Amino acid sequence: MSSHYDVLGVSRDATGEEIKKAYRKLARTLHPDVNPGEDASDRFKAVTHAYEVLSDPQKRRVYDTTGNENGTDNGFGGGSYSGQGFAFQDIFETFFGAGGGQGGPASRVRRGQDALISVRIDLRDAVFGVNKKLEVDTAVVCPTCDGSCCREGTHPVRCDICGGSGQVQRAVRSILGQVMTSAPCGSCEGFGTVIKDPCNECSGQGRIRSRRSLTVKVPAGVGTGTRIQLSGQGEAGPAGGPAGDLYVEIRVNNDATYVRDGDDLHASLNIPMTAAALGTEISLDTFDGQQEIDVRAGTQSGEIITLRGLGVTHLRGHGRGDLKVHLQVETPGKLDAAQEDLLRQLAQLRGEHFTAGKLAASGGVFAKLRDRLGNL
Ligand code: ZN
């Protein structure tokens, strides 16, 4: 069994950078996507394993001292190719050129895009939260080829035109004379490999469009414009790339009864003039069921009764806003003779005179609020 240094073709005192360079060079020619042979596959595993050990200073030290990476003396023990502890990002970048500027082939595999969907909910659902079922239409990994883009049993093959580098050299004349520039290979679109036998279902894209339903947990307290992020539920990337995120944007329907201001709810309640004068108890139908409210004797139009904690749940933190009931006193419009007579007697008893009035700000707080907030 040759040493890890031999496998990578570097000396025992090679620097980390030299080891990385050697590995990258070998991996490019041995990677199964480029070199489908059985031999290459085994060598690729051995090379990757050697790199895994030598690129980690601690593992390398153990290997240098004991001759194997387990710190024991039984030469072969546990020398698996599991790749555990190996930085996947590193290998990913090595092959898929995430770092760019290496001049290597581009990757077919890319992260998918984020998706945005908007959903309408009722005010009650914003108050308490709701599980909402959604239909989403996104790209998903092709179930037939599992994102490989290839028909079953086939692999991408090295591009003949660029030799797998994904780049072609071109001579360009400039004022400095002839210079060579590289451009993505037109034959393989810069991927370095060509899919000769594309998967039928996805036409070699590795993903298809699909409609699916999912349930999103809308938390209590959301408002119009709140976005809920569902990671990995967006568009699947090309060639089996990871999916982007799905953003669900909330729109809250206007409610027939309540107007929302922050986490408070406002509603208007009309009470007869006599009830306002004499006081009464009224049963109100709220999001939290029937609530008894006391209208005190002598209530004026525009007074507000606050029901603590019956508003919208705070999105962050605990508790809820308040429900504010704006009382509007109704003056009777049509009086019959007997009623009119009674009111005249009342006015006389109270010693009321019809005098010139004094102007004051009026119009009702609730009416103003509705003007300000209406039709959000
Ligand atoms: Zn497919």
Side-chain angles (χ1 to χ4, degrees):
M1 187 178 172
S2 45
S3 83
H4 289 336
Y5 292 98
D6 295 340
V7 168
L8 288 177
V10 295
S11 67
R12 288 213 158 244
D13 54 10
T15 64
E17 200 49 48
E18 284 166 349
I19 287 168
K20 193 171 186 178
K21 221 170 180 174
Y23 170 63
R24 189 178 280 138
K25 199 170 157 199
L26 284 166
R28 282 246 162 78
T29 59
L30 294 172
H31 189 262
D33 277 354
V34 180
N35 198 332
E38 184 107 46
D39 250 357
S41 166
D42 284 345
R43 277 195 64 205
F44 176 68
K45 282 180 189 167
V47 161
T48 298
H49 180 59
Y51 177 66
E52 178 188 338
V53 173
L54 297 186
S55 61
D56 180 334
Q58 201 178 334
K59 284 185 188 168
R60 185 179 177 185
R61 207 158 34 241
V62 172
Y63 180 76
D64 284 343
T65 343
T66 64
N68 70 55
E69 56 266 26
N70 303 310
T72 61
D73 267 331
N74 66 350
F76 291 91
S80 76
Y81 296 139
S82 68
Q84 267 171 6
F86 186 73
F88 177 75
Q89 193 58 33
D90 208 9
I91 196 171
F92 192 85
E93 282 178 11
T94 301
F95 293 119
F96 302 125
Q102 311 280 359
S107 172
R108 282 197 169 79
V109 182
R110 289 198 308 276
R111 181 182 184 270
Q113 289 184 313
D114 294 339
L116 177 66
I117 185 173
S118 102
V119 61
R120 287 203 157 270
I121 61 171
D122 289 332
L123 182 58
R124 162 184 280 278
D125 296 333
V127 171
F128 296 115
V130 66
N131 287 324
K132 195 86 183 166
K133 210 172 163 194
L134 300 177
E135 294 277 311
V136 292
D137 193 343
T138 64
V140 297
V141 173
C142 171
T144 300
C145 66
D146 207 21
S148 80
C149 308
C150 301
R151 196 197 296 264
E152 202 181 343
T154 70
H155 297 281
V157 294
R158 178 154 47 159
C159 174
D160 291 335
I161 305 299
C162 64
S165 71
Q167 306 279 317
V168 286
Q169 303 289 318
R170 250 197 338 215
V172 177
R173 289 190 185 285
S174 76
I175 51 168
L176 299 173
Q178 184 165 294
V179 292
M180 299 298 284
T181 65
S182 62
C185 171
S187 175
C188 64
E189 297 170 68
F191 296 134
T193 57
V194 176
I195 294 170
K196 288 250 151 85
D197 223 346
C199 165
N200 274 340
E201 181 162 6
C202 63
S203 310
Q205 297 303 306
R207 56 179 182 169
I208 56 166
R209 289 215 77 78
S210 160
R211 200 170 177 76
R212 69 208 144 96
S213 62
L214 55 86
T215 303
V216 56
K217 190 178 179 321
V218 178
V222 296
T224 291
T226 304
R227 285 185 177 185
I228 299 165
Q229 181 180 12
L230 303 177
S231 1
Q233 299 280 6
E235 309 277 349
D245 298 337
L246 176 66
Y247 289 90
V248 180
E249 186 170 283
I250 302 295
R251 309 244 139 224
V252 181
N253 292 326
N254 283 336
D255 190 82
T257 306
Y258 297 101
V259 173
R260 178 177 176 178
D261 181 21
D263 285 339
D264 290 339
L265 295 175
H266 296 262
S268 177
L269 178 65
N270 292 338
I271 51 173
M273 179 187 72
T274 44
L278 299 171
T280 184
E281 196 168 80
I282 294 176
S283 184
L284 265 191
D285 192 16
T286 72
F287 287 140
D288 292 84
Q290 294 290 317
Q291 300 288 325
E292 303 296 325
I293 63 167
D294 261 326
V295 176
R296 65 171 185 89
T299 291
Q300 306 295 316
S301 209
E303 276 186 26
I304 298 170
I305 293 177
T306 298
L307 303 177
R308 299 238 170 262
L310 297 189
V312 181
T313 309
H314 300 313
L315 185 56
R316 290 179 184 81
H318 299 284
R320 295 169 61 182
D322 299 331
L323 169 54
K324 293 179 186 273
V325 180
H326 299 248
L327 299 172
Q328 305 293 330
V329 176
E330 280 184 327
T331 307
K334 267 189 180 163
L335 299 171
D336 62 24
Q339 292 166 347
E340 192 180 329
D341 196 40
L342 273 173
L343 283 182
R344 283 191 189 283
Q345 282 183 48
L346 176 66
Q348 206 163 24
L349 282 171
R350 287 174 48 80
E352 290 172 359
H353 302 285
F354 298 95
T355 55
K358 197 174 134 202
L359 287 174
S362 66
V365 182
F366 179 72
K368 274 189 234 163
L369 193 72
R370 186 142 239 171
D371 286 345
R372 182 155 68 79
L373 299 171
N375 303 321
L376 278 185

